[in-house]
Amino acid sequence: GSAVQAGSPAATAGLRENDVITAVDGSTVDTSHPLVELLATHQPGSTVTLTVRRGTTDLTVQVTLATRPATTN
């Protein structure tokens, strides 16, 4: 889902449900540059700056990336 998981890097950075990530380190998130691809260019443990739209306000937050948890099918 799209909810911010408690204890996740997103939650630690202060992201909230319904926040929209619009850029990673200044690179715009769009159909040509999906969020997952922009994040994949960085190693776990590195810090990125996310530009976030919260309602009508744009803000920037620093997020330290972690290894994505394994998914079970």
Side-chain angles (χ1 to χ4, degrees):
S2 59
V4 176
Q5 299 296 316
S8 69
T12 301
L15 292 178
R16 301 179 189 166
E17 190 168 356
N18 298 320
D19 282 356
V20 178
I21 298 170
T22 59
V24 178
D25 282 343
S27 296
T28 301
V29 176
D30 57 26
T31 55
S32 299
H33 305 94
L35 177 62
V36 67
E37 287 184 15
L38 292 173
L39 292 177
T41 66
H42 301 277
Q43 295 297 315
S46 63
T47 300
V48 297
T49 300
L50 302 180
T51 304
V52 179
R53 167 77 41 101
R54 180 174 291 160
T56 58
T57 304
D58 287 331
L59 54 128
T60 58
V61 294
Q62 300 286 314
V63 178
T64 301
L65 301 179
T67 302
R68 186 175 180 157
T71 56
T72 56
N73 293 347

